[in-house]
Amino acid sequence: MKFLLEHLRTFTDLPERPHDARELLDDVGIEVKTAEATQFGTVFNCELLANRGDHYCYEGVAREAAGRTGHPMRYPPVKALQADRTSDRVRIETPLCLVYTLTELFAPEDRQDCLSSTVLAPLTAADIHSINAPVDASNLTNFDIGQPTHAFDADKVDGAITVRLSRKGEKAWLLFTPGPIEIPEGMLVIADESKILGIAGVIGCADSGITDSTTRILLEAACFDPVAVRIASRALNQATDAAARFMRGGDPTLPLVGAGRVAKLLEDHCGYRVGNAYVAGDWKDPQRTIEVDVERTKLFIGASLSHLEMADRLTRYGFTVEPEVNTLTVTVPPRRLWDVHFEADLQEELLKSVGYNNTVIELPPVEMGALPSHRENVMKQTSELLVAEGFYEIFTDSFYSPKMRERLGVGEGDPLWAHVDVLNSQEGDYAMMRNNTVAQALDALATNVNNKLANVKMYEWARIYMPDLSEREILWALANGRDRGPFWGDKGRPADSIYLKGILEQLRLELRIDLGFGSTDGHRLERFFHPGRRLGIHLDGKLVGIFGELHPTLVQNFGIKRQRPVYFEIETEALLAPAIPRVYSEPPSRQPIVRNVAYATPRGITSEDVRNALLEAAPPFLREIRVTDLFELPDARAITFEIEYLSEEALTGETINAATEAMIASVTKKFGEKVTQRV
Amino acid sequence: MSTQDTLNAFHSELAAATTPEQLQELRTKYLGKKSYVKTALKSLGSMPAEERPVFAKEVNDAQQLIERELEQATERVASGAIAKQIESEWQDLTLPGIAQERGSIHPLTRVHESAMNVMRRLGFRLEEGPEIELPYYNFDALNIPENHPARDMQDTFWLPNNHLLRSHTTTVQARVLEKHPPLPIKVVAAGRVYRNEAVDATHLALFHQFEGIWVEEGLTFGHLKGTLLEIAKSIYGEHHAFRFKPKYYPYTEPSAGMDMQCTVCLGKDDDCPGCRGAGWITILGSGMIHPKVFIEFGYDHTRVSGIAFGIGTSRIASQAAGISALKPLYEQDLRVHRAIHRGGL
């Protein structure tokens, strides 16, 4: 909301320099977002506290400043209205209207341009254009003292005015709209004998509004239930200044004052004659009182105020205080009934009065610090491993669009078809919550490949959202291009599935969890992978993840050409498994003895198959069998194994050779001629 | 052959030897089993007693001389070989280094870890919570009833079965308070939050928050300020100026915002583009836990009090990375992340 500094000064004394005035307002919670020099002087654009309806006017802002400075408040002149509380000109049929007033105003013959540009300056500063004298006076009053008013053309009003709930099928033609619309049943409205005149606290209707030719005005000033106003404002999509004021809680004692201010402006400047004023509503001030413990409050706010000083400061904000040495009994003014309920609310007022930056600052006593949890440690260790391998952590959207699901090739009946739908997303991309992260990973890869960056390594600690509204936490990583570099003398090797497997093996070692690799059967992402280049990640017999090369068709669906990305996903919970205890084994005193054996193997027989066959005939002194080389042609491949023996006893060449022969024989027995030994 | 002849021959051959192998041959020839000195020493027993001491001394001296000179020659040859090797092994070290280039954790994670390090010193622990929430934990329990204007402050993504995506991590705090753990409660909640807003450079549907609560008997507003200053100085540095100002958050009373003095103009330029002349930039929101929140979860608000604060980690991370908008943080363009990580290096 925009405030003209010079007009604000008419309500209370403020620092001379605009910069100092701005600091003061900031300090009391009226945050000045920008300050602008205009022809009328400095204009502050302020962000107001969302719960303080009384701040939405000059008087409210000035009161906050005066609460801090102690300077007196000044109020604009108001015409005292004689209220008729017995007339049947106005009726209230619902407790959602606290007070309702109507004031008769009669226009003079000549009423053009009666409010000067100086009087209108607060409106001009707020970019509100002049309409006509009654509307301008109404707007000025709302700006000055925070009481919205509305002018009806009395000649368009049919009989008595009633504040009631709308009826089924009832229509109203709201101001600034093309025609009548049906009003939802049960909405708080102002009506005459034949039609709706306005939506209470929100907006008036076109067929009862004033024009330049209006001579008799019925000026409405009222106080409505905040929730009723908010519901109507939202339902009709009408965010008006009046609604903004009322939905934060109005002042039930203010309507007649507001009407009096409008009357005063029109009478003094424009020659209007003020007629009768009618009041309806039996709202009674509840006189809410709150006890404030003086010593506790002193300690809490960190300022040495006496009970009398506290009382004085609270009085500046309009509270009535009965001060005792130990306790203040504070009565809440009507305009603050909406937000002041507890001792803490009054402590906040005292803090604002003293200044948030003028009270004690201290650190509470701290006995002992805390350590990172197992989960935090595991995530950090894992991230460090991936980062050392050149991976970048990213954050991707938790959402995706139906188009993304289409790209994944997920159709009805697929386990990944069902999603959590976002019911009110403003953007199509946020229509659904993701139930996997493959789409995000490929989308990210496409972005980078399009930017001519094909060597990509990225990971994310992510959540996925299940149709039953549960959440699962996973770690995913994607690699594409080369496993390292590229460097000027070292092109590396492809970042392929074997590379990812190596990372997972390192992770197993780092976290000391018994991750194993095996079938992908039953994994929900299985079909996204190349059938010949994927493995499941297992822990304690459970399938906890999957890795491998993404299916070429899927990659193409994301517009990515000539790339072979690999991807893994593992449940975060699996990584949190208890670490296997470390067991130390003494390094051997003897050196190991090594033999190499190579096999030509057909497609389908894995290195692990051959290794297992070798192990079946392994002697007790076998230490390890390692793959040391792989030679592949399109239709054949050869694997070299290094067999390492070690014993505390001295081993002869004959013993070693006999053991090796026995293991070779085991392979021959198992696979026959399918697997042949290479020299 | 006499001892002197032997020494003459040795010196002649030694002068010609330039490799370790040639020196080894000389060692075998002049000090080995069949060498002159070994043969001569074996013959001592058959010599007349009066000649024996003189001859023995002569041969021993010759043996020691040969050994010494062979040692010196060995050292000389070795150092010569290394010098030659060094001369032949020049490397162009202006070539770029070759080592696996590290990736990076996300700037948000970096800020999170910095903040967590401070919080742990104060005894806080991290608590997780769901992103798909019930309105009760996101609103009602936090003193934001239905149709309250505060709900407009956080436009919400609604999901089926009256669920929503949490609009703040304060939901986690509500769940912690509900469990009534023993006092003091010192908990940090951090992670993704969602706002159903039109997306632009500074407004995202998804961003990150970092919140903390400290519930104990006797906590005061001074404790709130002291704790926040400790956190802010740890994150931003001791040399910055900070201030507090009144704010409104439904779940705290009193509520306070914390500003840091503008690092661009230090509060001295009314036209500063960094702070738009305000001189200050808001870095976090905070307050004392609202009595209604305590009442909702069955605490005696006249006995216990609580500090609560929330930091927009996304904003801090973008400031730290030197980028003016939040959006790049959530891009998947690794050129951006690499540029942030390398920071000009």
Side-chain angles (χ1 to χ4, degrees):
Chain A
M1 187 168 172
K2 288 184 173 178
F3 293 95
L4 182 60
L5 177 57
E6 290 313 309
H7 191 59
L8 195 57
R9 291 184 197 282
T10 64
F11 288 81
T12 191
D13 292 345
L14 294 169
E16 194 173 325
R17 286 180 62 223
H19 183 85
D20 296 337
R22 178 180 189 165
E23 292 240 314
L24 170 64
L25 293 182
D26 276 353
D27 207 32
V28 297
I30 309 292
E31 193 171 344
V32 180
K33 304 303 279 186
T34 57
E36 188 187 353
T38 71
Q39 58 172 318
F40 300 106
T42 303
V43 174
F44 288 156
N45 189 7
C46 298
E47 185 174 291
L48 304 174
L49 301 180
N51 66 328
R52 293 293 299 276
D54 61 315
H55 280 181
Y56 281 68
C57 63
Y58 279 85
E59 184 183 315
V61 169
R63 188 181 295 111
E64 284 300 333
R68 177 68 194 286
T69 62
H71 293 314
M73 285 289 293
R74 295 181 284 270
Y75 301 96
V78 171
K79 182 173 180 64
L81 299 174
Q82 298 304 314
D84 178 352
R85 297 179 181 276
T86 57
S87 169
D88 58 1
R89 290 290 304 275
V90 291
R91 286 195 301 268
I92 297 176
E93 290 184 356
T94 164
L96 297 178
C97 178
L98 284 67
V99 177
Y100 192 86
T101 73
L102 275 180
T103 303
E104 292 171 337
L105 297 168
F106 302 96
E109 286 295 313
D110 178 16
R111 53 186 180 276
Q112 298 302 311
D113 296 331
C114 51
L115 294 173
S116 70
S117 59
T118 308
V119 173
L120 292 173
L123 297 183
T124 313
D127 305 322
I128 293 176
H129 299 299
S130 171
I131 308 282
N132 54 44
V135 172
D136 293 345
S138 172
N139 286 338
L140 279 169
T141 298
N142 193 20
F143 264 52
D144 275 351
I145 64 173
Q147 173 61 52
T149 54
H150 181 73
F152 298 116
D153 186 332
D155 293 332
K156 297 175 185 171
V157 175
D158 178 12
I161 287 180
T162 307
V163 187
R164 60 170 171 82
L165 301 182
S166 58
R167 296 162 190 147
K168 190 175 182 183
E170 226 173 350
K171 291 189 170 182
W173 185 352
L174 307 183
L175 282 167
F176 319 118
T177 62
I181 57 165
E182 188 168 318
I183 301 300
E185 188 180 3
M187 197 168 275
L188 189 62
V189 296
I190 317 299
D192 63 11
E193 305 286 345
S194 56
K195 62 185 177 296
I196 290 176
L197 303 176
I199 309 300
V202 180
I203 194 166
C205 286
D207 45 7
S208 59
I210 61 168
T211 63
D212 289 344
S213 57
T214 298
T215 55
R216 293 195 311 128
I217 291 173
L218 285 174
L219 183 74
E220 169 197 282
C223 185
F224 303 107
D225 175 75
V227 173
V229 172
R230 180 178 153 83
I231 288 172
S233 170
R234 287 179 71 89
L236 299 173
N237 198 23
Q238 293 289 334
T240 60
D241 286 344
R245 174 73 186 90
F246 281 125
M247 70 170 66
R248 286 164 176 79
D251 180 349
T253 64
L254 202 56
L256 215 53
V257 180
R261 175 62 184 154
V262 175
K264 180 73 176 168
L265 281 167
L266 292 175
E267 191 178 56
D268 286 359
H269 294 275
C270 306
Y272 274 70
R273 185 171 63 81
V274 181
N276 294 327
Y278 307 97
V279 179
D282 52 4
W283 178 84
K284 298 277 189 304
D285 185 351
Q287 297 278 316
R288 180 185 301 149
T289 57
I290 298 169
E291 304 271 296
V292 174
D293 183 306
V294 172
E295 282 307 311
R296 184 167 60 205
T297 297
K298 245 193 260 186
L299 189 68
F300 179 81
I301 67 173
S304 298
L305 300 179
S306 70
H307 66 293
L308 292 175
E309 286 172 306
M310 286 184 189
D312 173 57
R313 287 176 183 275
L314 289 171
T315 306
R316 295 176 194 172
Y317 295 100
F319 295 95
T320 308
V321 186
E322 290 176 31
E324 301 288 337
V325 174
N326 296 324
T327 308
L328 309 179
T329 304
V330 181
T331 304
V332 180
R335 66 171 169 274
R336 301 296 303 277
L337 288 171
W338 310 102
D339 73 299
V340 177
H341 301 268
F342 298 95
E343 183 183 58
D345 298 318
L346 297 169
Q347 289 168 335
E348 184 178 60
E349 299 299 300
L350 289 168
L351 273 167
K352 282 193 295 181
S353 176
V354 174
Y356 272 31
N357 298 292
N358 300 329
T359 58
V360 165
I361 297 177
E362 58 185 338
L363 198 59
V366 178
E367 286 178 1
M368 190 184 285
L371 292 172
S373 65
H374 176 59
R375 175 193 173 88
E376 288 170 278
N377 283 333
V378 163
M379 290 178 75
K380 189 167 186 182
Q381 282 173 281
T382 305
S383 287
E384 279 177 358
L385 189 147
L386 290 169
V387 165
E389 270 297 321
F391 282 77
Y392 280 86
E393 185 184 18
I394 61 169
F395 289 114
T396 62
D397 263 338
S398 306
F399 308 96
Y400 65 39
S401 63
K403 192 176 166 190
M404 198 75 106
R405 180 167 64 182
E406 203 177 299
R407 278 181 171 178
L408 286 172
V410 171
E412 270 191 87
D414 190 295
L416 290 172
W417 172 259
H419 282 74
V420 178
D421 291 324
V422 178
L423 303 179
N424 63 333
S425 68
Q426 292 185 26
E427 316 233 354
D429 288 347
Y430 303 150
M432 301 186 295
M433 303 299 295
R434 65 181 175 195
N435 63 10
N436 70 87
T437 51
V438 174
Q440 270 83 358
L442 279 171
D443 206 35
L445 176 62
T447 299
N448 286 286
V449 170
N450 289 338
N451 289 332
K452 307 292 181 203
L453 185 65
N455 287 316
V456 168
K457 292 182 189 175
M458 50 184 135
Y459 74 97
E460 181 180 24
W461 296 98
R463 291 193 193 198
I464 51 177
Y465 310 89
M466 301 294 115
D468 64 358
L469 298 171
S470 64
E471 300 170 33
R472 288 164 75 171
E473 292 180 293
I474 58 159
L475 166 70
W476 69 262
L478 178 142
N480 186 68
R482 312 301 293 180
D483 68 335
R484 60 185 187 274
F487 304 115
W488 52 268
D490 179 2
K491 298 285 183 278
R493 59 181 301 286
D496 58 9
S497 301
I498 298 292
Y499 170 68
L500 271 196
K501 189 182 181 197
I503 288 175
L504 290 165
E505 286 168 345
Q506 289 298 313
L507 193 57
R508 174 171 63 187
L509 191 64
E510 180 69 23
L511 301 181
R512 303 197 55 76
I513 54 175
D514 193 16
L515 288 183
F517 305 108
S519 167
T520 59
D521 284 353
H523 197 282
R524 63 200 164 75
L525 301 184
E526 187 181 28
R527 56 190 290 268
F528 291 155
F529 286 84
H530 187 306
R533 298 181 176 186
R534 68 185 180 208
L535 271 182
I537 307 170
H538 296 257
L539 180 76
D540 295 336
K542 275 177 59 185
L543 185 60
V544 296
I546 190 168
F547 79 94
E549 184 177 316
L550 290 171
H551 200 290
T553 308
L554 180 62
V555 176
Q556 276 179 14
N557 287 349
F558 280 78
I560 304 167
K561 292 174 185 166
R562 297 182 295 280
Q563 305 298 327
R564 311 298 295 263
V566 290
Y567 175 92
F568 79 71
E569 175 191 300
I570 186 166
E571 292 173 14
T572 306
E573 193 65 31
L575 300 177
L576 304 180
I580 298 165
R582 291 178 191 276
V583 179
Y584 176 71
S585 57
E586 187 106 16
S589 56
R590 293 177 181 275
Q591 296 300 315
I593 300 165
V594 167
R595 293 287 185 272
N596 286 303
V597 55
Y599 284 100
T601 62
R603 178 182 295 272
I605 293 180
T606 67
S607 66
E608 196 68 9
D609 294 334
V610 178
R611 185 173 178 273
N612 286 339
L614 289 166
L615 282 172
E616 280 176 19
F621 49 85
L622 174 83
R623 183 180 161 94
E624 195 173 353
I625 300 177
R626 286 185 291 267
V627 174
T628 55
D629 196 16
L630 172 69
F631 179 74
E632 277 188 303
L633 289 173
D635 54 352
R637 63 183 197 149
I639 310 170
T640 303
F641 295 92
E642 186 178 78
I643 305 171
E644 187 179 299
Y645 302 102
L646 186 71
S647 172
E648 290 301 325
E649 312 285 319
L651 296 171
T652 64
E654 291 73 23
T655 308
I656 296 295
N657 290 341
T660 307
E661 287 304 324
M663 291 166 73
I664 291 169
S666 168
V667 174
T668 307
K669 185 180 167 192
K670 180 143 192 174
F671 297 109
E673 292 181 358
K674 284 192 287 186
V675 173
T676 55
Q677 192 189 351
R678 311 276 294 186
V679 178
Chain B
M1 184 180 268
S2 71
T3 302
Q4 191 53 52
D5 291 342
T6 301
L7 285 174
N8 289 343
F10 169 72
H11 283 132
S12 171
E13 288 180 49
L14 183 64
T18 57
T19 67
E21 293 76 21
Q22 288 169 333
L23 290 175
Q24 185 56 41
E25 278 176 25
L26 288 182
R27 181 176 291 279
T28 307
K29 183 176 178 180
Y30 288 99
L31 296 175
K33 287 178 185 172
K34 294 175 184 172
S35 64
Y36 166 80
V37 292
K38 294 288 190 245
T39 309
L41 288 173
K42 277 181 191 166
S43 70
L44 281 176
S46 59
M47 291 185 74
E50 63 277 10
E51 293 176 16
R52 205 179 292 158
V54 176
F55 186 66
K57 184 175 184 310
E58 176 187 306
V59 173
N60 272 327
D61 287 349
Q63 182 177 351
Q64 285 172 16
L65 181 72
I66 291 170
E67 280 175 352
R68 193 166 57 245
E69 293 199 1
L70 273 173
E71 275 308 309
Q72 289 167 351
T74 301
E75 280 178 27
R76 189 177 65 246
V77 166
S79 62
I82 288 170
K84 195 173 174 186
Q85 179 192 344
I86 286 171
E87 194 183 334
S88 68
E89 288 179 346
W90 175 81
Q91 198 173 25
D92 180 3
L93 292 185
T94 65
L95 287 166
I98 291 180
Q100 173 62 57
E101 186 178 309
R102 283 175 67 87
S104 176
I105 56 172
H106 196 277
L108 281 166
T109 306
R110 206 176 296 285
V111 170
H112 170 89
E113 287 186 357
S114 299
M116 253 341 275
N117 286 341
V118 184
M119 301 315 296
R120 284 196 201 99
R121 285 210 305 269
L122 298 172
F124 282 73
R125 64 184 169 78
L126 186 66
E127 187 79 24
E128 298 284 334
E131 292 172 15
I132 294 180
E133 261 297 3
L134 292 165
Y136 173 73
Y137 292 106
N138 200 73
F139 292 127
D140 304 82
L142 298 172
N143 192 30
I144 314 174
E146 196 165 2
N147 291 312
H148 191 284
R151 289 208 179 190
D152 284 344
M153 294 162 70
Q154 300 173 345
D155 283 328
T156 312
F157 282 111
W158 287 95
L159 307 177
N161 300 329
N162 196 32
H163 280 67
L164 51 79
L165 285 174
R166 68 180 180 193
S167 57
H168 46 197
T169 45
T170 318
T171 52
V172 180
Q173 300 178 14
R175 287 177 174 275
V176 168
L177 288 175
E178 187 181 44
K179 288 181 204 157
H180 275 260
L183 299 181
I185 301 168
K186 294 182 186 177
V187 167
V188 163
R192 292 173 180 232
V193 298
Y194 302 87
R195 302 280 167 89
N196 193 5
E197 297 178 335
V199 174
D200 58 30
T202 53
H203 294 88
L204 301 176
L206 176 165
F207 57 98
H208 282 70
Q209 279 188 340
F210 184 100
E211 298 197 6
I213 54 167
W214 183 340
V215 177
E216 197 169 356
E217 288 186 28
L219 290 176
T220 67
F221 193 73
H223 291 145
L224 170 73
K225 293 197 295 181
T227 305
L228 296 183
L229 275 174
E230 178 79 8
I231 295 166
K233 285 182 176 175
S234 298
I235 293 174
Y236 288 101
E238 292 277 342
H239 55 287
H240 291 289
F242 300 95
R243 74 171 186 185
F244 297 92
K245 64 187 176 188
K247 290 290 277 186
Y248 166 68
Y249 306 109
Y251 29 87
T252 52
E253 184 77 5
S255 302
M258 188 176 186
D259 290 352
M260 181 173 74
Q261 192 167 55
C262 177
T263 52
V264 178
C265 72
L266 299 177
K268 292 173 182 167
D269 180 3
D270 285 346
D271 299 317
C272 173
C275 62
R276 294 196 288 183
W280 300 88
I281 293 169
T282 301
I283 56 169
L284 58 83
S286 66
M288 305 300 293
I289 294 175
H290 200 291
K292 281 191 181 172
V293 176
F294 278 135
I295 292 167
E296 179 68 28
F297 294 115
Y299 292 82
D300 178 356
H301 70 92
T302 62
R303 192 175 64 81
V304 298
S305 50
I307 288 169
F309 63 88
I311 305 172
T313 30
S314 301
R315 180 179 291 185
I316 295 175
S318 61
Q319 284 170 348
I323 48 183
S324 56
L326 299 182
K327 205 159 186 272
L329 287 180
Y330 293 90
E331 301 277 7
Q332 281 84 57
D333 182 348
L334 291 193
R335 296 175 308 170
V336 172
H337 290 270
R338 202 158 178 268
I340 292 173
H341 172 51
R342 296 183 72 97
L345 290 180

